[in-house]
Amino acid sequence: MSHAAAALVAAVACALVLVPGRAADPPGPARRVEKLGRGVIALHQGGGRVFVSWRLLATDPDGVAFKVYRQVGDAAPVALTPEPLTKVTHVTDTGVAFTAPVRYLVRAVTDGREGDPAASLPLPVDAPARPYIAIPLRTPPGHTPGDASVGDLDGDGEYEVVVKQEQRPRDNSQKGETGETKLEAYKLDGTFLWRINLGRNVREGAHYTQFLVFDLDGDGKAEVVCRTADGTVDGAGVAIGDRDANHRNADGYVLTGPEFLTVFDGLTGRALATTDYLPPRGRVADWGDAYGNRVDRFLAGVAYLDGERPSVVFARGYYTRTVLVAWDWRGGRLTRRWTFDSSDGNREYAGQGDHSLSVADVDGDGKDDIVYGACTVGSDGRGLYSTGLGHGDALHVSDLDPGRSGLEVFNIHERKPACGVSFRDARTGRVIWSKPSADVGRGLAADIDPRHRGAEFWASGPGLTGVWDVRGEPVSAKKPRSCNFAVWWDGDLLRELLDRTTITHWNWTTESETVLLVAVGCASNNGSKATPALSADVLGDWREEVLFRTTDNTELRLYSTAIPTDVRLPTLMHDPQYRAAVAWQNVGYNQPPHPSFFLGAGMDSPPRPRVTTGRD
């Protein structure tokens, strides 16, 4: 019996300093990743105390150490670390007077030699004590900042932010005209770079406006890729297609007119290439309804399909027909790599998609596969397996059970009450354990309890109580109040809980939560989904930052932890699976990013990613 058939049958039945080890040896070359700088961040904690942290890179040599300097105004920098730091990537400075703007410089030390300095954003003379960097916005009147992504748009080794600005977004099931979505790019100091207007013929909403930010051609600068239409205006003011066309029908849906896929220059927002979006909508009713709901369910992701360079995958449909199309951006040309269509001999893959996707090398061949909800499509565009468990709202892929070989998938489902929650082998699709429930709405996988090796799991649905371990056994009678996002925030290896604008720590002995952060003056996005604009390892050490919009929509705030840790790990953004997850986080129902290895209590030293920053 094939893996796919076996999976279908099973489904129907239903605090330590860590030094990365050597790279794993999958077939093929090293993956090309961003050439990142140190991402130095300085947070004033009050009373003249400043917490400073920076990146360890996957490309750093073994034994690299760091020296940290404080510079006040134009004075000569003063060393804060007489001896290079070898065990941590942070330091707390005390007694800072702020008589002039203060910035911090970090130098890598290799074989006794100091490298070039990497600097933080300066703290002004009147620097307030706050746990975030403020990024002023030029929010257009009547708009609200929504989901965001990051990429190195200018090639300086540090991230810029691309944020989606919305007017009147609607779910696909709701008729009525929407506004015109804008994409805007900012440097972390608030410098405005460009605005793209997707126009009236791209309907606003979480399922319509997937955008990917990634360096796709290896030139050291990220591109932005998304679906466009007649009247989209790029960052240089140039329209795509017919600027004056209006394809909205009486109910506000856009069910006629051309659809495009456009690659934009990340630094200027200028359109570099535009082609027809595939697959075309064709006959609307073929996607499951006649009024325009299911035909416009889009997903997207970045994947290393050849094991070396990133490609993009744009998809249409998941309730019924499902089509994925892979594209390469190489040498100024956008070319199609492959198409997977559930209507082309892949009937068992129809109706298996979620409101999001994940990207991971599930079969260990060094190339990424697309975990499309309850099914998986291989790096070559051929189906690997379908579980038959159907559509769901949340999906988590990682080495969730470090006691097993390979990766696992935690998925929730709507249509099979006998299996509302499933935990499966990512390679074969074999269901390891499941829980019965009808129409499960939320599900989360994160290591929150050190007494049980591996992740813990919980979900929101009829009859689902408590928290489970990797065997599906209950470990807690109560479950956390939230079942939304997770974030590495405090000093240990456990993950904290992120919901709305609050971060909490789960106390496993008392089955209660301790609040670690409340982002006062901020708001979450996406209605009841209550997700941040972005959660990712954007700056500083290996722990994650959270990006929120303010309630008045005038700025983004990038929150970062100032809790000391004795764990030293390379930036998670140099783990290709985690970096791809940050790229697709804004897609559909946002999900937290997970790395390719188990990161939690009792973890082994992680493998050193097999990556290179070489450019084309």
Side-chain angles (χ1 to χ4, degrees), residues 144-162:
T144 300
D147 293 337
S149 194
V150 293
D152 181 5
L153 304 181
D154 58 8
D156 68 352
E158 301 300 339
Y159 286 126
E160 284 73 44
V161 176
V162 177

Side-chain angles (χ1 to χ4, degrees), residues 263 337 350 418:
V263 179
R337 175 176 283 267

Side-chain angles (χ1 to χ4, degrees), residues 7 72 258 407 518 604:
V72 180
L407 307 178
V518 177
D604 297 328

Side-chain angles (χ1 to χ4, degrees), residues 145-484:
D147 293 337
S149 194
V150 293
D152 181 5
L153 304 181
D154 58 8
D156 68 352
E158 301 300 339
Y159 286 126
E160 284 73 44
V161 176
V162 177
V163 61
K164 179 171 67 172
Q165 297 270 14
E166 295 180 311
Q167 292 177 286
R168 299 182 303 278
R170 295 182 185 273
D171 187 81
N172 298 49
S173 62
Q174 300 171 357
K175 67 180 181 179
E177 286 193 358
T178 68
E180 299 182 8
T181 296
K182 282 78 175 176
L183 298 178
E184 296 181 339
Y186 296 86
K187 295 182 72 67
L188 293 185
D189 64 3
T191 300
F192 177 82
L193 296 178
W194 49 256
R195 177 181 294 139
I196 295 167
N197 185 350
L198 296 183
R200 72 184 77 175
N201 296 309
V202 176
R203 208 166 185 248
E204 279 191 317
H207 304 295
Y208 298 98
T209 52
Q210 328 303 351
F211 64 98
L212 301 176
V213 183
F214 214 90
D215 180 7
L216 298 170
D217 59 3
D219 68 350
K221 299 179 182 180
E223 291 78 35
V224 179
V225 190
C226 66
R227 189 175 65 96
T228 58
D230 277 344
T232 294
V233 178
D234 74 4
V238 178
I240 295 172
D242 183 351
R243 181 187 289 266
D244 299 320
N246 184 356
H247 300 298
R248 295 165 169 169
N249 66 18
D251 289 329
Y253 288 99
V254 181
L255 302 178
T256 60
E259 300 172 284
F260 307 120
L261 183 70
T262 300
V263 179
F264 297 93
D265 180 80
L267 181 59
T268 66
R270 180 174 62 89
L272 299 175
T274 295
T275 190
D276 290 337
Y277 189 90
L278 298 177
R281 64 174 69 89
R283 197 171 77 98
V284 171
D286 290 344
W287 298 90
D289 60 67
Y291 70 96
N293 179 355
R294 297 182 177 186
V295 67
D296 277 357
R297 298 285 178 157
F298 299 100
L299 298 177
V302 172
Y304 289 80
L305 299 175
D306 66 0
E308 180 181 8
R309 296 183 293 182
S311 303
V312 293
V313 178
F314 279 79
R316 180 177 225 136
Y318 40 77
Y319 287 116
T320 52
R321 183 186 176 195
T322 294
V323 184
L324 289 73
V325 182
W327 301 88
D328 293 336
W329 174 248
R330 309 273 192 270
R333 296 181 62 238
L334 183 62
T335 58
R336 185 171 64 90
R337 175 176 283 267
W338 50 251
T339 297
F340 174 88
D341 191 339
S342 65
S343 295
D344 185 16
N346 301 297
R347 185 175 61 181
E348 67 272 26
Y349 290 81
Q352 302 304 308
D354 285 0
H355 288 299
S356 63
L357 54 71
S358 189
V359 175
D361 177 11
V362 303
D363 54 10
D365 67 353
K367 303 175 183 179
D368 282 337
D369 311 294
I370 312 301
V371 182
Y372 205 79
C375 64
T376 296
V377 176
S379 58
D380 59 359
R382 299 180 183 181
L384 289 181
Y385 63 81
S386 174
T387 67
L389 292 175
H391 169 74
D393 285 3
L395 177 70
H396 304 274
V397 182
S398 186
D399 188 3
L400 300 170
D401 180 359
R404 296 184 71 258
S405 176
L407 307 178
E408 294 81 33
V409 179
F410 181 63
N411 203 184
I412 62 175
H413 311 281
E414 291 184 358
R415 300 181 178 181
K416 291 184 180 293
C419 191
V421 169
S422 68
F423 185 64
R424 73 178 191 254
D425 182 283
R427 180 188 184 104
T428 66
R430 181 180 68 84
V431 176
I432 301 167
W433 54 263
S434 63
K435 304 290 179 182
S437 186
D439 195 3
V440 181
R442 298 283 182 98
L444 187 56
D447 186 15
I448 60 172
D449 187 337
R451 299 173 299 181
H452 314 277
R453 192 162 187 258
E456 282 76 42
F457 311 87
W458 62 103
S460 299
L464 298 176
T465 60
V467 178
W468 313 297
D469 65 11
V470 295
R471 296 175 297 279
E473 298 297 327
V475 298
S476 174
K478 295 181 180 179
K479 58 187 174 184
R481 290 170 294 177
S482 69
C483 192
N484 193 359

Side-chain angles (χ1 to χ4, degrees), residues 459-541:
S460 299
L464 298 176
T465 60
V467 178
W468 313 297
D469 65 11
V470 295
R471 296 175 297 279
E473 298 297 327
V475 298
S476 174
K478 295 181 180 179
K479 58 187 174 184
R481 290 170 294 177
S482 69
C483 192
N484 193 359
F485 259 59
V487 58
W488 280 289
W489 189 261
D490 65 14
D492 61 30
L493 291 166
L494 298 174
R495 219 165 185 188
E496 279 62 57
L497 306 175
L498 168 60
D499 185 49
R500 299 187 182 275
T501 57
T502 300
I503 294 174
T504 62
H505 172 80
W506 175 249
N507 304 305
W508 55 90
T509 56
T510 59
E511 299 181 351
S512 62
E513 295 172 56
T514 300
V515 175
L516 300 181
L517 173 76
V518 177
V520 177
C522 292
S524 56
N525 294 331
N526 301 311
S528 64
K529 302 306 176 189
T531 51
L534 181 71
S535 178
D537 180 13
V538 178
L539 290 171
D541 61 29

